Amino acid sequence: MKVLSALLCSASLFAAKPLPEFVQRGQHYQFLVDGRPYLVLGAQVHNSSAWPGELEAAWKQARQLHANTVEAPVYWEEIEPAPGRFRFTTVDALVEGARQHGLRLILLWFGTWKNGVMDYAPAWIKQDPQKYPRMLDRAGRPVRVLSPHSETNRNADRDALAALMRHLKQIDSEDRTVILVQVENEPGSLFTVRDYSEEANRLYGGPAPATLVEKLGKRPGTWQEVFGVEAEEAFAAYYVASYVNEVAAAGKREYPLPMSVNVWLKERKEYMRPGENYPSGGAVTNMLDVWKAAAPAIDVLAPDIYVMDYVGYREVCAAYRRPDNPLFIPETGAGGQFARYMFYALGDYGAAGWAPFGFNSRRAGADLDRRLEHVAANYRLLGPAAQKIIELQAAGALKAAVEEEQLTNVLLEFDRYDSVTYFGATRPSYGGWYAAGTENRTGRALIGQETQDEFWVMGFDARVTFRPKRGAKKENVQFLEVEQGRFEDGRWIRERLLNGDQTFFGVLLPPEGAVLRVKLMSY
Ligand code: DGJ
């Protein structure tokens, strides 16, 4: 008996799932979960929804959304009601519920910072500013933000996150339901660009740290000399990032899950002033290098993209996808245009994950909010194709064609073919066909090149055509075979061949969506 249980025990140890991790493939990152590339089709609950009584509705709605991952907060004020005394009932309910509903979890640590303020710090911290100092603004007045220059603050947060990670290790190292931990939430300070406490002023008066200056390839000097007009913001970013780094590293020492930091962006925010229009010290676009230098324990700097226009949305994606940073979008809008923007994130910027914020609604028995219907359609269509999408992303062979106002046909270029995707009815016009756009601007497609003559076409409300590249010897194209089908466990299943009216004018993606495998030949 003893031998048998020892054997079983060693077998289960042997079978332990690997830790999730971000791995670099050339210029691109993949997120491995259970050792396989994983695309986070996420959904974030409202801030006050990670409570057992709220979760039933959320799980149901996450399933209706066809999400594979739920993002939910862990509240410092709840798990550490008195210094050093921890309780994890809310965390346990999250992990249990996610498992029961076949979902993965990303936990969001609402610790020292939440949206650039300290609101989730426990009451015993809020009430003792002598021991847990707040930042002082330029006039020397305390603000509602804990100081990143206080070791006491940092150690308190560090010990709490470490306790959480220790607990997760105990309850989840076999299942790996939790795949990523976000450390803090939109860290940085509102109300002041930096701390003006005596200690902070002393540090600001001295030289910028040599390690930082060196990593940035800059010449040594004071903060002002090294960073000019951005000096105070860079100072804040360095100290916030260093603080977060220590918290994250302590958590990883307990249980080394990948860790992220999310960002309240500056883009499209009024005058784009730190401490006013966005929290100062966060990993905004002009502070990414500082954060990368000061917070190596953080795997992903992740933009919360609420930018409403597609040009801005794409610019943010481009800024956060770097050779040293995977693109992962932990919060974004839920409405129709964001369902389109998801296609840019996946197709043009190799996103490893994407999640609308506040998907759950509390009303008893409520179904998924209608505003999310297009995101749900995306997840339903693209979820089963995720492995193929990830493979195409890694090969640099995936592109997006997305409809926007007055942008009703999109030219994409591949190795041997060019492709034009039309949205809405077309009519002849000077210079070619003009597409009038779809009724509700729902056109969106991903086009991936499998081999030189074979493409994947996935999406909604579009007509996709191809032509041999300019200058090719064979100037004409015809479809060799167009399959409509679906993926099941990574295997392609052909449901029917499209031909005749369904391909005469190009391949059609209907409003309800389709995944097509298109084989071309030129002649
Ligand atoms: C961004 C924050 O990270 C979320 O927790 C939430 O407050 C949303 N903003 C609300 O839009």
Side-chain angles (χ1 to χ4, degrees):
M1 197 58 192
K2 252 192 182 156
V3 177
L4 181 67
S5 64
L7 271 177
L8 283 175
C9 182
S10 63
S12 76
L13 273 182
F14 186 69
K17 296 176 176 173
L19 279 159
E21 60 175 335
F22 284 90
V23 291
Q24 201 167 5
R25 306 246 184 270
Q27 291 283 299
H28 178 72
Y29 283 88
Q30 288 182 341
F31 186 26
L32 302 189
V33 171
D34 300 341
R36 290 183 72 205
Y38 185 79
L39 184 63
V40 175
L41 301 175
Q44 186 166 146
V45 297
H46 286 289
N47 289 164
S48 305
S49 293
W51 294 94
E54 300 277 314
L55 290 174
E56 261 331 294
W59 300 132
K60 177 178 121 182
Q61 292 155 12
R63 295 301 300 264
Q64 291 173 333
L65 183 61
H66 303 279
N68 59 14
T69 307
V70 165
E71 300 174 339
V74 175
Y75 315 115
W76 189 6
E77 62 178 352
E78 164 59 18
I79 68 159
E80 194 179 3
R85 189 157 66 74
F86 290 97
R87 60 174 175 215
F88 292 107
T89 37
T90 48
V91 177
D92 294 343
L94 278 171
V95 174
E96 258 318 299
R99 281 185 195 150
Q100 277 165 20
H101 292 83
L103 291 157
R104 298 291 180 137
L105 266 184
I106 292 175
L107 294 181
L108 319 171
W109 171 236
F110 284 13
T112 295
W113 289 282
K114 163 70 175 75
N115 296 24
V117 294
M118 60 177 286
D119 293 357
Y120 281 86
W124 48 269
I125 286 193
K126 288 181 184 141
Q127 287 169 328
D128 195 351
Q130 291 302 327
K131 185 164 181 192
Y132 303 103
R134 294 162 183 229
M135 297 175 83
L136 303 183
D137 68 12
R138 205 185 291 270
R141 289 171 308 212
V143 296
R144 211 171 91 221
V145 193
L146 287 169
S147 170
H149 302 286
S150 154
E151 269 187 36
T152 322
N153 291 346
R154 190 200 60 209
N155 293 349
D157 190 332
R158 181 195 67 189
D159 294 347
L161 187 79
L164 169 65
M165 298 307 289
R166 207 159 38 241
H167 182 71
L168 284 182
K169 184 179 180 184
Q170 275 166 17
I171 63 165
D172 197 42
S173 28
E174 228 170 90
D175 284 286
R176 312 273 196 222
T177 302
V178 180
I179 56 175
L180 177 70
V181 172
Q182 177 188 293
V183 188
E184 315 297 342
N185 192 86
E186 298 186 342
S189 61
L190 290 179
F191 318 124
T192 184
V193 64
R194 69 168 174 92
D195 191 1
Y196 290 88
S197 65
E198 220 175 280
E199 168 66 358
N201 286 341
R202 187 186 65 75
L203 291 168
Y204 189 70
T211 47
L212 174 67
V213 172
E214 200 179 303
K215 281 188 191 157
L216 298 181
K218 299 202 182 238
R219 285 233 292 281
T222 63
W223 286 93
Q224 191 69 43
E225 284 161 355
V226 178
F227 293 97
V229 73
E230 289 179 339
E232 293 197 301
E233 184 178 17
F235 175 82
Y238 176 74
Y239 282 101
V240 172
S242 306
Y243 181 122
V244 171
N245 189 60
E246 287 232 14
V247 172
K252 283 187 167 184
R253 280 196 291 277
E254 298 294 336
Y255 182 38
L257 284 181
M259 296 200 178
S260 63
V261 161
N262 67 328
V263 186
W264 174 332
L265 298 175
K266 68 191 294 184
E267 279 72 20
R268 304 286 192 260
K269 300 278 162 42
E270 231 184 21
Y271 286 94
M272 296 170 63
R273 302 273 165 101
E276 289 178 38
N277 306 114
Y278 63 92
S280 180
V284 288
T285 39
N286 55 318
M287 290 295 128
L288 285 172
D289 292 337
V290 172
W291 265 83
K292 282 290 170 189
I298 298 300
D299 302 86
V300 191
L301 300 175
D304 292 344
I305 320 187
Y306 294 95
V307 170
M308 302 294 276
D309 65 288
Y310 83 97
V311 175
Y313 202 96
R314 288 173 61 93
E315 279 170 9
V316 172
C317 289
Y320 282 83
R321 184 200 201 185
R322 304 175 12 143
D324 59 357
N325 195 57
L327 177 62
F328 177 77
I329 303 169
E331 288 183 37
T332 194
Q337 88 255 41
F338 291 99
R340 298 199 307 273
Y341 299 170
M342 179 189 168
F343 277 59
Y344 293 126
L346 295 186
D348 292 342
Y349 301 101
W354 191 89
F357 176 81
F359 75 96
N360 60 313
S361 113
R362 314 188 55 199
R363 278 174 295 111
D367 285 320
L368 183 69
D369 196 308
R370 296 260 315 152
R371 159 189 79 97
L372 280 143
E373 70 175 306
H374 296 295
V375 175
N378 286 358
Y379 284 9
R380 180 183 47 69
L381 187 77
L382 302 181
Q387 291 302 320
K388 180 54 71 186
I389 290 171
I390 292 169
E391 190 187 308
L392 292 164
Q393 282 179 330
L398 192 65
K399 293 175 198 264
V402 180
E403 174 182 5
E404 303 296 346
E405 190 180 358
Q406 299 302 330
L407 191 56
T408 49
N409 68 34
V410 175
L411 168 66
L412 299 177
E413 294 180 41
F414 296 93
D415 291 348
R416 291 246 300 248
Y417 296 91
D418 292 342
S419 160
V420 171
T421 300
Y422 301 88
F423 302 107
T426 44
R427 57 177 166 73
S429 175
Y430 290 106
W433 291 86
Y434 171 79
T438 64
E439 203 181 324
N440 298 310
R441 212 169 295 142
T442 43
R444 55 204 191 276
L446 290 176
I447 305 184
Q449 183 182 323
E450 177 77 26
T451 63
Q452 283 198 336
D453 297 291
E454 195 179 329
F455 291 83
W456 295 98
V457 178
M458 316 175 188
F460 302 83
D461 253 346
R463 179 164 70 86
V464 182
T465 63
F466 293 89
R467 250 177 102 166
K469 285 200 95 61
R470 185 171 173 207
K473 275 212 197 84
K474 299 175 178 171
E475 289 182 6
N476 299 302
V477 70
Q478 81 186 71
F479 292 116
L480 204 53
E481 202 172 63
V482 179
E483 298 176 314
Q484 180 170 3
R486 64 180 196 282
F487 286 93
E488 257 180 38
D489 301 324
R491 243 173 8 97
W492 172 245
I493 308 217
R494 172 207 278 203
E495 288 167 348
R496 61 171 175 160
L497 283 178
L498 299 182
N499 207 334
D501 295 343
Q502 280 66 53
T503 59
F504 202 88
F505 303 101
V507 292
L508 301 179
L509 294 173
E512 68 277 14
V515 179
L516 308 176
R517 180 185 196 161
V518 178
K519 291 182 192 155
L520 303 174
M521 62 167 283
S522 44
Y523 61 93

